[in-house]
Amino acid sequence: MTEKLSTKTQVLATIIAGIFVIVAAVISSPHWFKYFFPKQYLEQEKLDPKKIENTKIITDSINSKSSDTKEKAGTEDIVISKIELCPKNFRIPNYLYLEVQNKGTKTIKNLVVSVNLGKASYLSYDYTRNLNPKSQVDSVDKSFIKVICPEIKESEGLGIYLLLSQPNFEDILLHADNLTFDKQYSYSEYLSSSIQVDSDGFHTFLIVCLSIAIIIFGIYFTVVIITYLNKIFKIE
């Protein structure tokens, strides 16, 4: 009994000693010492609180400038995310709708969206007002319209809607003060992308049909194999 009691006492003493060592190590660690005993830490390290504060201000200023520089640089990705054009020429006005979106992290300054209508002419037009845009138009031939956005930030977009004399356009040009290159989207590119979308849809339809056929034949052959094995092993 005495030996068991002595063993328990030793284990308890070891645990207490271990806890004491851990607490002492944590408190004596420079990382924690400066939080528990800030004055003693400053005296020990011979640090001036004013210098520490000044260093913090300078560091924050550098980080702020770095953040501003990163925001000004950012990723440049301004795109025409959506475009719809009336598929046929009707006696009533045809339509053209497009959306320009900033998918990058760089804020685009003074974005100009120029829609050159070519042989068509606009009858009326409108655009989203959330970015405070302005417009410039060809008041004589009505063959083009420009919409200017002072600023378009990340994930923001601009929608433009036009009623046309015929369903076509020449090109759409994106220009801005801080764009590396202007971006142009032509009517021929629109037609090519439309054909590509149609072919992709048909391709997807074929894949779905083939997948269904594979599943049906897979189930059929599984049943056939199970039936055959049951006959061989005479399992009812």
Side-chain angles (χ1 to χ4, degrees):
M1 178 67 94
T2 305
E3 291 180 359
K4 290 183 179 180
L5 186 61
S6 177
T7 304
K8 290 183 179 179
T9 304
Q10 290 177 0
V11 171
L12 184 61
T14 303
I15 293 173
I16 293 173
I19 294 173
F20 177 78
V21 170
I22 293 172
V23 171
V26 169
I27 293 176
S28 61
S29 172
H31 179 74
W32 295 102
F33 185 76
K34 62 183 178 182
Y35 293 110
F36 289 109
F37 309 103
K39 292 183 180 180
Q40 290 81 352
Y41 175 77
L42 294 177
E43 292 176 0
Q44 177 182 322
E45 300 294 328
K46 296 180 181 180
L47 298 175
D48 187 352
K50 292 182 179 179
K51 290 183 179 180
I52 293 176
E53 187 65 27
N54 291 337
T55 303
K56 184 177 183 301
I57 292 172
I58 293 171
T59 304
D60 291 343
S61 176
I62 292 173
N63 291 337
S64 177
K65 289 181 180 179
S66 176
S67 178
D68 292 341
T69 303
K70 185 178 180 181
E71 183 178 353
K72 288 180 181 178
T75 305
E76 185 180 299
D77 190 15
I78 188 80
V79 298
I80 299 175
S81 58
K82 186 176 184 180
I83 182 166
E84 296 178 1
L85 183 65
C86 187
K88 293 183 180 180
N89 190 10
F90 292 94
R91 293 181 181 178
I92 60 175
N94 303 277
Y95 69 87
L96 168 65
Y97 175 74
L98 63 102
E99 290 180 0
V100 177
Q101 188 175 9
N102 184 3
K103 292 189 175 181
T105 57
K106 180 178 181 180
T107 299
I108 305 301
K109 303 289 186 179
N110 295 321
L111 174 68
V112 181
V113 183
S114 303
V115 184
N116 181 4
L117 299 174
K119 296 180 181 180
S121 58
Y122 70 85
L123 304 176
S124 60
Y125 65 89
D126 198 7
Y127 44 82
T128 53
R129 311 285 172 170
N130 57 319
L131 301 178
N132 299 318
K134 297 179 181 178
S135 62
Q136 294 179 359
V137 296
D138 176 10
S139 57
V140 180
D141 297 329
K142 297 186 176 181
S143 61
F144 74 81
I145 175 175
K146 294 182 180 180
V147 179
I148 303 99
C149 267
E151 183 179 82
I152 179 167
K153 298 179 181 178
E154 180 181 356
S155 300
E156 289 184 336
L158 170 70
I160 303 175
Y161 185 85
L162 299 97
L163 292 178
L164 308 175
S165 58
Q166 51 183 298
N168 68 287
F169 62 92
E170 187 72 23
D171 58 53
I172 301 168
L173 181 67
L174 305 181
H175 169 79
D177 291 348
N178 59 342
L179 272 180
T180 306
F181 300 103
D182 291 347
K183 295 190 176 183
Q184 188 174 26
Y185 185 77
S186 65
Y187 180 66
S188 58
E189 288 176 318
Y190 166 75
L191 292 178
S192 299
S193 63
S194 299
I195 294 172
Q196 182 65 34
V197 168
D198 292 340
S199 62
D200 288 345
F202 182 69
H203 183 67
T204 303
F205 173 74
L206 288 179
I207 291 176
V208 171
C209 291
L210 181 61
S211 299
I212 294 173
I214 290 173
I215 292 172
I216 292 173
F217 279 108
I219 294 172
Y220 171 76
F221 283 117
T222 301
V223 172
V224 170
I225 292 171
I226 292 173
T227 304
Y228 178 73
L229 292 175
N230 287 340
K231 288 181 179 179
I232 291 177
F233 296 103
K234 297 180 179 180
I235 300 174
E236 296 183 358

